[in-house]
Short mmCIF file of all heavy atoms in Angstrom, two decimals:
data_model
loop_
_atom_site.label_atom_id
_atom_site.label_comp_id
_atom_site.label_asym_id
_atom_site.label_seq_id
_atom_site.Cartn_x
_atom_site.Cartn_y
_atom_site.Cartn_z
N PRO D 1 6.28 -18.60 -20.25
CA PRO D 1 4.88 -18.32 -20.67
C PRO D 1 4.74 -17.43 -21.84
O PRO D 1 3.61 -17.23 -22.38
CB PRO D 1 4.34 -17.65 -19.40
CG PRO D 1 5.52 -16.95 -18.86
CD PRO D 1 6.69 -17.84 -19.09
N TYR D 2 5.88 -16.83 -22.32
CA TYR D 2 5.89 -15.92 -23.44
C TYR D 2 6.41 -16.37 -24.79
O TYR D 2 5.99 -16.06 -25.84
CB TYR D 2 6.61 -14.66 -23.01
CG TYR D 2 6.04 -14.12 -21.69
CD1 TYR D 2 6.88 -13.88 -20.60
CD2 TYR D 2 4.69 -13.60 -21.64
CE1 TYR D 2 6.39 -13.41 -19.46
CE2 TYR D 2 4.20 -13.15 -20.41
CZ TYR D 2 5.03 -13.00 -19.33
OH TYR D 2 4.57 -12.45 -18.19
N LEU D 3 7.54 -17.11 -24.68
CA LEU D 3 8.16 -17.62 -25.97
C LEU D 3 8.19 -19.14 -25.94
O LEU D 3 8.78 -19.77 -25.00
CB LEU D 3 9.60 -17.09 -26.04
CG LEU D 3 9.71 -15.51 -26.14
CD1 LEU D 3 11.13 -15.10 -26.06
CD2 LEU D 3 9.01 -15.01 -27.37
N GLU D 4 7.57 -19.74 -26.91
CA GLU D 4 7.51 -21.20 -26.99
C GLU D 4 8.85 -21.83 -27.08
O GLU D 4 9.77 -21.36 -27.76
CB GLU D 4 6.64 -21.60 -28.16
CG GLU D 4 6.27 -23.07 -28.31
CD GLU D 4 5.35 -23.39 -29.41
OE1 GLU D 4 4.88 -22.46 -30.09
OE2 GLU D 4 5.08 -24.65 -29.62
N GLY D 5 9.03 -22.97 -26.38
CA GLY D 5 10.21 -23.76 -26.50
C GLY D 5 11.42 -23.21 -25.67
O GLY D 5 12.51 -23.81 -25.64
N ARG D 6 11.11 -22.17 -24.84
CA ARG D 6 12.20 -21.63 -23.97
C ARG D 6 11.88 -21.95 -22.55
O ARG D 6 10.75 -22.15 -22.15
CB ARG D 6 12.36 -20.18 -24.26
CG ARG D 6 13.00 -19.88 -25.69
CD ARG D 6 13.24 -18.39 -25.90
NE ARG D 6 13.73 -18.12 -27.21
CZ ARG D 6 15.07 -18.12 -27.46
NH1 ARG D 6 15.96 -18.27 -26.44
NH2 ARG D 6 15.51 -17.86 -28.67
N MET D 7 12.88 -21.85 -21.74
CA MET D 7 12.81 -21.92 -20.31
C MET D 7 13.04 -20.59 -19.49
O MET D 7 13.91 -19.90 -19.99
CB MET D 7 13.74 -23.05 -19.74
CG MET D 7 13.55 -24.43 -20.48
SD MET D 7 11.96 -25.19 -20.07
CE MET D 7 12.15 -25.58 -18.31
N GLU D 8 12.30 -20.37 -18.55
CA GLU D 8 12.47 -19.11 -17.88
C GLU D 8 13.03 -19.35 -16.41
O GLU D 8 12.91 -20.44 -15.82
CB GLU D 8 11.19 -18.37 -17.65
CG GLU D 8 10.19 -18.88 -16.56
CD GLU D 8 9.12 -17.89 -16.23
OE1 GLU D 8 9.16 -16.71 -16.74
OE2 GLU D 8 8.25 -18.27 -15.46
N ARG D 9 13.69 -18.37 -15.88
CA ARG D 9 14.32 -18.47 -14.56
C ARG D 9 14.23 -17.00 -14.00
O ARG D 9 14.34 -16.07 -14.76
CB ARG D 9 15.71 -18.91 -14.73
CG ARG D 9 16.51 -19.31 -13.40
CD ARG D 9 17.88 -19.75 -13.71
NE ARG D 9 18.67 -18.76 -14.44
CZ ARG D 9 19.93 -18.77 -14.61
NH1 ARG D 9 20.63 -19.89 -14.29
NH2 ARG D 9 20.60 -17.80 -15.19
N LYS D 10 14.05 -16.88 -12.68
CA LYS D 10 13.85 -15.60 -12.06
C LYS D 10 14.94 -15.30 -10.99
O LYS D 10 15.15 -16.29 -10.21
CB LYS D 10 12.52 -15.31 -11.54
CG LYS D 10 11.33 -15.32 -12.59
CD LYS D 10 10.04 -14.92 -11.94
CE LYS D 10 8.97 -14.62 -12.98
NZ LYS D 10 8.57 -15.91 -13.67
N LEU D 11 15.45 -14.16 -10.98
CA LEU D 11 16.24 -13.71 -9.84
C LEU D 11 15.29 -12.94 -8.95
O LEU D 11 14.54 -12.05 -9.33
CB LEU D 11 17.37 -12.76 -10.40
CG LEU D 11 18.28 -12.08 -9.39
CD1 LEU D 11 19.18 -13.15 -8.77
CD2 LEU D 11 19.11 -11.06 -10.08
N PHE D 12 15.41 -13.32 -7.65
CA PHE D 12 14.46 -12.68 -6.66
C PHE D 12 14.99 -12.37 -5.29
O PHE D 12 16.10 -12.97 -4.93
CB PHE D 12 13.19 -13.50 -6.60
CG PHE D 12 13.36 -14.77 -5.87
CD1 PHE D 12 13.09 -14.90 -4.44
CD2 PHE D 12 13.82 -15.91 -6.48
CE1 PHE D 12 13.24 -16.08 -3.79
CE2 PHE D 12 14.02 -17.14 -5.79
CZ PHE D 12 13.66 -17.15 -4.48
N THR D 13 14.40 -11.47 -4.54
CA THR D 13 14.81 -11.20 -3.22
C THR D 13 13.52 -10.82 -2.38
O THR D 13 12.53 -10.43 -2.97
CB THR D 13 15.78 -10.00 -3.14
OG1 THR D 13 16.26 -9.87 -1.84
CG2 THR D 13 15.14 -8.71 -3.63
N ALA D 14 13.62 -10.95 -1.12
CA ALA D 14 12.43 -10.65 -0.25
C ALA D 14 12.28 -9.16 -0.13
O ALA D 14 13.31 -8.39 -0.15
CB ALA D 14 12.64 -11.26 1.10
N LEU D 15 11.07 -8.71 0.01
CA LEU D 15 10.77 -7.26 0.17
C LEU D 15 10.12 -7.11 1.57
O LEU D 15 8.94 -7.46 1.74
CB LEU D 15 9.77 -6.81 -0.84
CG LEU D 15 9.44 -5.33 -0.97
CD1 LEU D 15 10.69 -4.50 -1.22
CD2 LEU D 15 8.45 -5.04 -2.05
N GLN D 16 10.90 -6.75 2.56
CA GLN D 16 10.41 -6.71 3.92
C GLN D 16 11.22 -5.79 4.77
O GLN D 16 12.25 -5.26 4.38
CB GLN D 16 10.53 -8.14 4.55
CG GLN D 16 11.91 -8.67 4.55
CD GLN D 16 11.98 -10.17 4.89
OE1 GLN D 16 11.08 -10.66 5.50
NE2 GLN D 16 13.06 -10.86 4.53
N GLY D 17 10.67 -5.47 5.97
CA GLY D 17 11.44 -4.59 6.88
C GLY D 17 11.23 -3.12 6.62
O GLY D 17 10.45 -2.70 5.74
N GLU D 18 11.91 -2.28 7.36
CA GLU D 18 11.79 -0.85 7.34
C GLU D 18 12.20 -0.25 5.93
O GLU D 18 11.73 0.80 5.55
CB GLU D 18 12.53 -0.20 8.44
CG GLU D 18 12.12 -0.57 9.85
CD GLU D 18 12.87 0.10 10.90
OE1 GLU D 18 13.85 0.73 10.55
OE2 GLU D 18 12.54 -0.08 12.12
N GLN D 19 13.10 -1.00 5.26
CA GLN D 19 13.63 -0.41 4.03
C GLN D 19 12.87 -0.97 2.84
O GLN D 19 13.31 -0.77 1.67
CB GLN D 19 15.15 -0.84 3.95
CG GLN D 19 16.00 -0.28 5.05
CD GLN D 19 16.01 1.25 4.98
OE1 GLN D 19 15.96 1.85 3.93
NE2 GLN D 19 16.18 1.80 6.18
N ALA D 20 11.74 -1.63 2.96
CA ALA D 20 11.11 -2.24 1.80
C ALA D 20 10.67 -1.31 0.74
O ALA D 20 10.91 -1.50 -0.43
CB ALA D 20 9.78 -2.93 2.34
N GLU D 21 10.17 -0.08 1.13
CA GLU D 21 9.75 0.89 0.19
C GLU D 21 10.92 1.42 -0.62
O GLU D 21 10.89 1.55 -1.85
CB GLU D 21 8.99 2.03 0.81
CG GLU D 21 8.19 2.82 -0.22
CD GLU D 21 7.10 3.65 0.51
OE1 GLU D 21 6.19 2.97 1.16
OE2 GLU D 21 7.12 4.91 0.39
N ARG D 22 12.08 1.71 0.04
CA ARG D 22 13.23 2.23 -0.61
C ARG D 22 13.78 1.17 -1.55
O ARG D 22 14.30 1.45 -2.68
CB ARG D 22 14.24 2.71 0.44
CG ARG D 22 13.83 3.92 1.21
CD ARG D 22 14.92 4.28 2.20
NE ARG D 22 16.13 4.78 1.60
CZ ARG D 22 17.27 4.95 2.14
NH1 ARG D 22 17.41 4.60 3.42
NH2 ARG D 22 18.27 5.37 1.42
N LEU D 23 13.81 -0.09 -1.11
CA LEU D 23 14.34 -1.15 -1.90
C LEU D 23 13.51 -1.31 -3.20
O LEU D 23 14.04 -1.49 -4.31
CB LEU D 23 14.41 -2.48 -1.16
CG LEU D 23 15.03 -3.65 -1.87
CD1 LEU D 23 16.47 -3.43 -2.22
CD2 LEU D 23 14.90 -4.94 -1.06
N ASN D 24 12.20 -1.30 -3.03
CA ASN D 24 11.26 -1.42 -4.19
C ASN D 24 11.52 -0.29 -5.19
O ASN D 24 11.55 -0.50 -6.38
CB ASN D 24 9.82 -1.48 -3.72
CG ASN D 24 8.86 -1.71 -4.79
OD1 ASN D 24 9.00 -2.78 -5.49
ND2 ASN D 24 7.85 -0.83 -4.98
N ASP D 25 11.55 0.97 -4.63
CA ASP D 25 11.84 2.06 -5.58
C ASP D 25 13.15 1.95 -6.33
O ASP D 25 13.23 2.10 -7.55
CB ASP D 25 11.90 3.35 -4.77
CG ASP D 25 10.57 3.77 -4.15
OD1 ASP D 25 9.59 3.36 -4.71
OD2 ASP D 25 10.59 4.60 -3.16
N HIS D 26 14.23 1.52 -5.64
CA HIS D 26 15.49 1.38 -6.15
C HIS D 26 15.61 0.27 -7.19
O HIS D 26 16.14 0.51 -8.31
CB HIS D 26 16.57 1.16 -5.06
CG HIS D 26 17.89 1.64 -5.37
ND1 HIS D 26 18.29 2.96 -5.35
CD2 HIS D 26 19.06 0.90 -5.80
CE1 HIS D 26 19.60 3.02 -5.71
NE2 HIS D 26 20.08 1.80 -5.93
N LEU D 27 15.10 -0.90 -6.87
CA LEU D 27 15.19 -2.05 -7.83
C LEU D 27 14.24 -1.92 -8.94
O LEU D 27 14.51 -2.48 -10.05
CB LEU D 27 15.04 -3.33 -7.02
CG LEU D 27 16.10 -3.70 -6.02
CD1 LEU D 27 16.02 -5.13 -5.58
CD2 LEU D 27 17.54 -3.50 -6.65
N SER D 28 13.17 -1.26 -8.77
CA SER D 28 12.19 -1.01 -9.93
C SER D 28 12.91 -0.25 -11.04
O SER D 28 12.66 -0.44 -12.20
CB SER D 28 10.99 -0.26 -9.40
OG SER D 28 10.20 -1.02 -8.57
N LYS D 29 13.79 0.66 -10.67
CA LYS D 29 14.59 1.38 -11.69
C LYS D 29 15.61 0.52 -12.36
O LYS D 29 16.23 0.90 -13.38
CB LYS D 29 15.27 2.51 -11.05
CG LYS D 29 14.35 3.61 -10.45
CD LYS D 29 15.16 4.70 -9.75
CE LYS D 29 14.31 5.71 -9.07
NZ LYS D 29 13.62 5.26 -7.84
N GLN D 30 15.81 -0.74 -11.88
CA GLN D 30 16.74 -1.68 -12.44
C GLN D 30 16.02 -2.93 -13.05
O GLN D 30 16.59 -4.00 -13.15
CB GLN D 30 17.78 -2.12 -11.41
CG GLN D 30 18.58 -0.97 -10.88
CD GLN D 30 19.51 -1.34 -9.73
OE1 GLN D 30 20.46 -2.08 -9.92
NE2 GLN D 30 19.21 -0.87 -8.54
N GLY D 31 14.78 -2.71 -13.45
CA GLY D 31 14.11 -3.82 -14.11
C GLY D 31 13.34 -4.83 -13.30
O GLY D 31 12.85 -5.77 -13.77
N PHE D 32 13.33 -4.61 -11.87
CA PHE D 32 12.63 -5.52 -11.06
C PHE D 32 11.15 -5.19 -11.00
O PHE D 32 10.71 -4.06 -11.15
CB PHE D 32 13.26 -5.50 -9.63
CG PHE D 32 14.52 -6.30 -9.46
CD1 PHE D 32 15.73 -5.81 -9.92
CD2 PHE D 32 14.49 -7.54 -8.93
CE1 PHE D 32 16.90 -6.48 -9.75
CE2 PHE D 32 15.67 -8.30 -8.82
CZ PHE D 32 16.88 -7.82 -9.20
N ARG D 33 10.35 -6.22 -10.63
CA ARG D 33 8.89 -6.09 -10.48
C ARG D 33 8.55 -6.67 -9.09
O ARG D 33 9.23 -7.59 -8.60
CB ARG D 33 8.18 -6.82 -11.50
CG ARG D 33 8.39 -6.28 -12.96
CD ARG D 33 7.53 -5.01 -13.19
NE ARG D 33 6.11 -5.34 -13.25
CZ ARG D 33 5.17 -4.41 -13.21
NH1 ARG D 33 5.47 -3.14 -13.05
NH2 ARG D 33 3.90 -4.75 -13.27
N ARG D 34 7.35 -6.19 -8.55
CA ARG D 34 6.94 -6.76 -7.23
C ARG D 34 5.86 -7.74 -7.44
O ARG D 34 4.88 -7.55 -8.25
CB ARG D 34 6.42 -5.60 -6.33
CG ARG D 34 6.02 -6.10 -4.98
CD ARG D 34 5.42 -4.97 -4.11
NE ARG D 34 4.09 -4.61 -4.62
CZ ARG D 34 2.96 -5.20 -4.28
NH1 ARG D 34 2.99 -6.26 -3.44
NH2 ARG D 34 1.77 -4.76 -4.73
N SER D 35 5.89 -8.80 -6.67
CA SER D 35 4.81 -9.83 -6.53
C SER D 35 4.64 -10.06 -5.02
O SER D 35 5.51 -10.76 -4.48
CB SER D 35 5.05 -11.06 -7.32
OG SER D 35 4.00 -11.96 -7.11
N GLN D 36 3.54 -9.51 -4.44
CA GLN D 36 3.38 -9.64 -2.95
C GLN D 36 4.60 -9.10 -2.31
O GLN D 36 5.05 -7.93 -2.48
CB GLN D 36 3.06 -11.03 -2.56
CG GLN D 36 1.65 -11.45 -3.15
CD GLN D 36 1.31 -12.90 -2.98
OE1 GLN D 36 1.03 -13.65 -3.89
NE2 GLN D 36 1.31 -13.36 -1.74
N ASN D 37 5.32 -9.88 -1.50
CA ASN D 37 6.52 -9.43 -0.70
C ASN D 37 7.78 -9.90 -1.34
O ASN D 37 8.75 -10.14 -0.59
CB ASN D 37 6.42 -9.78 0.75
CG ASN D 37 6.27 -11.38 0.94
OD1 ASN D 37 6.21 -12.05 -0.06
ND2 ASN D 37 6.18 -11.77 2.17
N VAL D 38 7.77 -10.04 -2.65
CA VAL D 38 8.98 -10.51 -3.39
C VAL D 38 9.26 -9.49 -4.60
O VAL D 38 8.33 -9.09 -5.18
CB VAL D 38 8.81 -11.95 -3.92
CG1 VAL D 38 9.90 -12.27 -4.90
CG2 VAL D 38 8.73 -12.93 -2.78
N LEU D 39 10.50 -9.17 -4.78
CA LEU D 39 10.96 -8.49 -5.94
C LEU D 39 11.64 -9.43 -6.85
O LEU D 39 12.48 -10.28 -6.43
CB LEU D 39 11.89 -7.30 -5.61
CG LEU D 39 11.24 -6.10 -5.02
CD1 LEU D 39 12.32 -5.10 -4.52
CD2 LEU D 39 10.29 -5.37 -5.98
N TYR D 40 11.29 -9.48 -8.13
CA TYR D 40 11.94 -10.41 -9.09
C TYR D 40 12.30 -9.70 -10.40
O TYR D 40 11.80 -8.69 -10.77
CB TYR D 40 10.98 -11.63 -9.33
CG TYR D 40 9.72 -11.23 -10.11
CD1 TYR D 40 9.75 -11.37 -11.53
CD2 TYR D 40 8.61 -10.71 -9.51
CE1 TYR D 40 8.65 -11.01 -12.28
CE2 TYR D 40 7.59 -10.34 -10.26
CZ TYR D 40 7.50 -10.48 -11.64
OH TYR D 40 6.42 -10.19 -12.41
N ARG D 41 13.17 -10.41 -11.12
CA ARG D 41 13.60 -10.05 -12.44
C ARG D 41 13.93 -11.25 -13.24
O ARG D 41 14.62 -12.14 -12.74
CB ARG D 41 14.77 -9.03 -12.40
CG ARG D 41 15.16 -8.39 -13.71
CD ARG D 41 16.22 -7.36 -13.51
NE ARG D 41 17.52 -7.97 -13.30
CZ ARG D 41 18.65 -7.24 -13.04
NH1 ARG D 41 18.63 -6.02 -12.93
NH2 ARG D 41 19.78 -7.88 -12.87
N PRO D 42 13.50 -11.40 -14.49
CA PRO D 42 13.89 -12.54 -15.32
C PRO D 42 15.36 -12.68 -15.43
O PRO D 42 16.12 -11.70 -15.54
CB PRO D 42 13.25 -12.23 -16.60
CG PRO D 42 12.09 -11.37 -16.38
CD PRO D 42 12.52 -10.52 -15.28
N SER D 43 15.90 -13.88 -15.28
CA SER D 43 17.35 -14.15 -15.32
C SER D 43 17.52 -15.51 -16.06
O SER D 43 17.99 -16.51 -15.40
CB SER D 43 17.90 -14.22 -13.93
OG SER D 43 19.29 -14.49 -13.99
N CYS D 44 17.14 -15.56 -17.34
CA CYS D 44 17.13 -16.87 -18.09
C CYS D 44 18.50 -17.16 -18.51
O CYS D 44 19.37 -16.33 -18.75
CB CYS D 44 16.14 -16.81 -19.22
SG CYS D 44 14.44 -16.33 -18.57
N ALA D 45 18.76 -18.48 -18.74
CA ALA D 45 20.11 -18.97 -19.07
C ALA D 45 20.52 -18.62 -20.54
O ALA D 45 21.68 -18.41 -20.83
CB ALA D 45 20.22 -20.49 -18.85
#
């Protein structure tokens, strides 16, 4: 959606359970973002 003619791919994991907040804090420091109960980061080829 950002660069014309390119393809995007995302690396993601579920955000759930008792450790959800700690996981979100930890992965946000590594470039991940939250969308509902999923954490994702672009991982294009």
Side-chain angles (χ1 to χ4, degrees):
Y2 304 120
L3 298 175
E4 187 176 355
R6 293 183 178 269
M7 302 295 288
E8 76 163 358
R9 191 178 61 171
K10 290 185 174 71
L11 178 68
F12 70 96
T13 188
L15 187 62
Q16 57 190 341
E18 296 178 357
Q19 299 296 327
E21 195 160 302
R22 292 180 66 192
L23 183 63
N24 186 55
D25 289 340
H26 204 78
L27 292 190
S28 292
K29 298 180 181 72
Q30 298 173 70
F32 281 79
R33 296 281 292 167
R34 184 184 71 85
S35 176
Q36 295 172 237
N37 57 0
V38 169
L39 284 172
Y40 70 93
R41 189 174 74 182
S43 178
C44 304

